[in-house]
Structure formats: structure tokens, C-alpha cells
Amino acid sequence: MSFSLAEEEETRKNLVIAKPFALEDDKDSEHAASNGIRRILSLFKNVRLGSDLTNFQLPPQLNQPRSQLQCYGEMIYSFCGQDLIGECSRRDLPIERLKSVVAWNISTLRPIVFGMSPYNPVLGETHHVSHGHINVLTEQVSHHPPVSALHATHENENIDVTWCQYFTPKFRGAYVDVEVKGKRTMKLLNRKETYEMDQPRLVVRFLPAPGAHWTGKIKIKCPETDLEAELHLISDSFIERFKGNNNRSIKGKISQTSSGDKLYDISGHWDRTISAKNLKTGEVEVIYNAKESISGLRPPTVKNLKEVMESESAMVWSEVSEKILNKDWERAREAKKAVEEKQRESLKRREASGESWVPKHFSVVRNGKDWDCSPLQPTVPRAPLVITEAQEENMN
């Protein structure tokens, strides 16, 4: 999509970057769940069971003022306290590094705002943010189906993170089941280790009690160290609560891959603390504390306005987000329609000229329903959007 010079300059002056959804915002989500269920159910009254909701259009009242690309980026650059990514490479022993990778992976789980959805990114949209030594770049590499690519690098610890994300939301009557697919890889280049990890499912439940939760199994495997972790996210369903199981709980283990020998038990809650128990010594240690990692989160600020890319999420959706934050729903609807119309016009121009879309920052391979994304550059450069210095001081 493209802007005139005057439009682009005006948009740059009014960049709107929403605050990340932090741990303490959970109460707002519970309030939204109790108040928004009737409106949400009315949207689905004509939707058939099993329908794919990938292209389902939501009114601005049910949109978060942020793009899905920003949500992906926040999972990595938005944190307080310790730099958990860097910690993955600093540990001397392989088992300690795997425990750190487990802790960092759990830190990417964030509370979900029930009934509120981020914008579907437009093709070619990007989000580029730096936090301390961590630089993160995301790009929407496909629109139908929606596929997002992410590349993050840690300057000091020589760490490379690559994600390829695509999902299929299915309507199941009492809930929506979102299967998240794609590869997640972390490379500790100084250690010559690669960690491959699965992604959990997201379930948005309407009845009997509204809510949204992560569920399913996450497997983290490192071939070079012969170690792996398996995490089970326990369902936050009404039945599980009735059984007395606390919501957002995690149970899992760390094992040696070749022998299957279990070395550690993992247990706790991803929104509280996670502990690892050494099965040989019986020692228990807290490896993750959510309050210390995902509380008090603040949005990036603009360090260099002129370097902000035209495709930056905060530019693409700036007017929409501004109107949503001001609860000016009619103008928000018009602004959202304008963004979508520009994308349709770009598609028409490409089709008329026989031009195919080529992502700017990633190489993309499609094999049937599977996608793979590889960054074109070995490292992510410093971004014009940064986490403020006040937050960066808490990293060390």
C-alpha cells in the first residue's frame, strides 16, 4: 500500500502505538468478557459450525487498537525485568540453557482479551522494534491465507529467533478453536545449538462461561544437546475449574531424547510462577516469574520518525487506532475500510500488470498447506521504534 508524501508526513506525526497487554490488565479482560458476550454471540448467529473464520470481519468495537504483527512482536520485545532471551546463551551447562529456553518460551504466553481481536495485517505490513540488545522485525508475507514472519536477533549474545506463524480459527458453536501453525526456531549461535518448538492452541469460549485461554502441548527440542522439554497447558474450561484445576496451569518434563530418561518435572502457572524439580536431587527451583517479566509493560516510543517505514503497523493503522481509542466508532469504521480498500487496489494493480508479491525481508516457501519463512538478512538492524530507556535500565 502507498501514501502520498503529504499523507505519509501527516501519518508519521500521529503514530499510534497501543500499550501491550500486561499481566495486570487481566481484570479488564474479565470485565469485557461479562459485558461483551451478547454482542459477540450475535455476530455468530448466521455462522455454520466448523466454518473457517480466517476472513471474518469484525466491527471496530471488537478490535484491539493494534495489528496482529504487533502482538507477535510484543511476545519478544515487550518485557520487564531480566533479559530472558540473553539468559538462554549465558548459561554454561546444556541443561541450564534448556531450562532458560523453557522459561523464555513460557514468557511469550500473554493474557488474551476476550472478545477483542487485533487487526488482520495487510500484505507487506511490517513492525520493527528494538529493546536493549534485542531487535525484532515482523512482516506479513501472505494475506490469503494470512501468514506472518518474525526475525529477532540479540546483538550481545548472538541469538537468532525465527517464527513463521499462520492459524486457522474454526467456529465450534460454544467456542472458537484457533490452531496456530508454523515453525519457531531459536539458534544460540555462540553455542552452536538450535531449539525447535511447537505452538499452543488458543480457545475462545462463549458458553457456559466466557473466556479465552491457551491450551495444548508445546515441545522444545535441541538435537545438539540430546535434550528436550514437553509442556502441557491445562485447559481453562468450565469442566477443569469444576474439577478444581487452576486455570493457566502448566505441567511438563525435561528429558534426554535418546534414552527417554526424565530429568526434571515442570509445574506451575504461566501467569504466576513455574518451577523445575530435579528428579535426582529433589531440589526445586523457580525458573519463571510472570510478575517479574510481563508486568508494567509500556509501548515502544519513536526514536527516529524519518526512519519509520511506510509499511510500519503503527503507520498503516494509525488513524483506525486513534479513533478506536477515542471511541469514535463511525470514523474508526471508515478508517478501517480505507485501509482495506487500499489493499484491494494494490492487489488489482498487481493482477493487471501480472506482478506477483515478493516479501521484502523474508524468503517464503509454500508446500501445500505448510509455509516456511527464512530471513533475508543475518541480523535485524536497530529500529526507529524503541522501548524507553526507563525500561531498558531494568534489563541488566
Side-chain angles (χ1 to χ4, degrees), residues 258-307:
S258 58
S259 67
D261 291 343
K262 190 161 69 165
L263 307 175
Y264 282 83
D265 273 334
I266 306 292
S267 62
H269 302 82
W270 63 259
D271 63 336
R272 283 164 260 180
T273 59
I274 300 291
S275 297
K277 180 181 180 180
N278 187 321
L279 296 181
K280 187 175 181 180
T281 66
E283 181 183 355
V284 178
E285 62 177 313
V286 174
I287 61 171
Y288 175 68
N289 186 318
K291 188 175 181 180
E292 294 176 357
S293 295
I294 58 173
S295 295
L297 304 179
R298 292 193 286 179
T301 57
V302 182
K303 184 178 182 180
N304 191 328
L305 195 59
K306 291 183 179 180
E307 289 184 5

Side-chain angles (χ1 to χ4, degrees), residues 29 33 36-37 40-41 44 53 58 64 112-118 167 169-179 201-215 235-237:
S29 178
I37 186 65
I40 294 164
L41 288 175
F44 290 101
L53 302 178
L58 290 173
Q64 297 176 34
I112 304 297
V113 185
F114 174 82
M116 302 293 288
S117 176
F167 57 87
K170 293 287 182 68
F171 181 59
R172 304 297 188 191
Y175 64 96
V176 172
D177 186 7
V178 184
E179 184 180 5
R201 287 167 45 237
L202 175 63
V203 173
V204 181
R205 187 171 296 279
F206 310 129
L207 300 170
H213 60 274
W214 298 106
T215 187
S235 172
D236 189 20
S237 68

Side-chain angles (χ1 to χ4, degrees), residues 327-377:
K327 297 185 178 179
D328 188 344
W329 304 121
E330 188 56 39
R331 291 187 179 180
R333 189 178 292 106
E334 292 172 2
K336 188 177 179 184
K337 186 177 179 181
V339 172
E340 293 163 350
E341 187 57 39
K342 283 183 179 180
Q343 176 164 248
R344 282 190 285 269
E345 289 174 2
S346 296
L347 176 60
K348 287 179 183 177
R349 285 197 298 269
R350 288 196 303 273
E351 288 178 341
S353 63
E355 178 187 354
S356 59
W357 173 260
V358 179
K360 184 176 181 181
H361 304 284
F362 293 86
S363 170
V364 180
V365 176
R366 184 176 186 179
N367 182 12
K369 293 184 178 181
D370 295 328
W371 293 74
D372 194 13
C373 307
S374 303
L376 296 176
Q377 300 300 324

Side-chain angles (χ1 to χ4, degrees), residues 249-264:
S249 62
I250 289 181
K251 293 182 180 179
K253 61 182 179 179
I254 292 177
S255 308
Q256 185 177 44
T257 303
S258 58
S259 67
D261 291 343
K262 190 161 69 165
L263 307 175
Y264 282 83

Side-chain angles (χ1 to χ4, degrees), residues 72-344:
Y72 288 145
E74 287 173 357
M75 291 178 177
I76 293 185
Y77 70 69
S78 188
F79 60 92
C80 63
Q82 192 176 24
D83 169 15
L84 294 181
I85 293 184
E87 199 63 24
C88 296
S89 188
R90 294 186 193 111
R91 301 284 186 169
D92 291 329
L93 299 176
I95 188 67
E96 297 299 324
R97 291 196 290 276
L98 178 56
K99 284 193 289 183
S100 294
V101 173
V102 168
W104 170 76
N105 189 280
I106 292 170
S107 78
T108 66
L109 297 171
R110 306 295 168 93
I112 304 297
V113 185
F114 174 82
M116 302 293 288
S117 176
Y119 315 127
N120 290 326
V122 300
L123 188 63
E125 181 182 329
T126 59
H127 187 52
H128 187 196
V129 176
S130 292
H131 183 169
H133 307 301
I134 302 164
N135 304 312
V136 182
L137 176 63
T138 61
E139 181 178 11
Q140 192 69 8
V141 297
S142 172
H143 188 65
H144 292 299
V147 181
S148 307
L150 177 147
H151 187 208
T153 51
H154 195 294
E155 295 171 341
N156 272 21
E157 300 298 335
N158 203 16
I159 298 172
D160 182 288
V161 176
T162 305
W163 289 357
C164 184
Q165 306 263 139
Y166 50 103
F167 57 87
T168 306
K170 293 287 182 68
F171 181 59
R172 304 297 188 191
Y175 64 96
V176 172
D177 186 7
V178 184
E179 184 180 5
V180 187
K181 297 182 179 180
K183 292 172 62 177
R184 285 186 176 186
T185 303
M186 171 187 274
K187 294 181 180 179
L188 307 182
L189 299 173
N190 290 345
R191 304 289 185 176
K192 296 181 173 59
E193 293 172 0
T194 298
Y195 295 80
E196 295 182 350
M197 46 202 91
D198 299 330
Q199 304 178 56
R201 287 167 45 237
L202 175 63
V203 173
V204 181
R205 187 171 296 279
F206 310 129
L207 300 170
H213 60 274
W214 298 106
T215 187
K217 182 174 72 173
I218 301 173
K219 196 163 189 176
I220 304 171
K221 194 171 183 178
C222 179
E224 292 84 0
T225 62
D226 193 31
L227 293 171
E228 63 181 55
E230 191 172 286
L231 306 174
H232 293 266
L233 279 66
I234 309 301
S235 172
D236 189 20
S237 68
F238 177 80
I239 294 174
E240 291 295 334
R241 289 188 184 187
F242 183 76
K243 289 179 179 178
N245 292 336
N246 289 322
N247 59 335
R248 298 176 177 169
S249 62
I250 289 181
K251 293 182 180 179
K253 61 182 179 179
I254 292 177
S255 308
Q256 185 177 44
T257 303
S258 58
S259 67
D261 291 343
K262 190 161 69 165
L263 307 175
Y264 282 83
D265 273 334
I266 306 292
S267 62
H269 302 82
W270 63 259
D271 63 336
R272 283 164 260 180
T273 59
I274 300 291
S275 297
K277 180 181 180 180
N278 187 321
L279 296 181
K280 187 175 181 180
T281 66
E283 181 183 355
V284 178
E285 62 177 313
V286 174
I287 61 171
Y288 175 68
N289 186 318
K291 188 175 181 180
E292 294 176 357
S293 295
I294 58 173
S295 295
L297 304 179
R298 292 193 286 179
T301 57
V302 182
K303 184 178 182 180
N304 191 328
L305 195 59
K306 291 183 179 180
E307 289 184 5
V308 176
M309 290 185 283
E310 178 188 335
S311 57
E312 167 59 48
S313 288
M315 279 191 67
V316 173
W317 298 101
S318 186
E319 187 176 355
V320 186
S321 296
E322 182 182 5
K323 303 308 179 190
I324 287 177
L325 290 170
N326 292 332
K327 297 185 178 179
D328 188 344
W329 304 121
E330 188 56 39
R331 291 187 179 180
R333 189 178 292 106
E334 292 172 2
K336 188 177 179 184
K337 186 177 179 181
V339 172
E340 293 163 350
E341 187 57 39
K342 283 183 179 180
Q343 176 164 248
R344 282 190 285 269

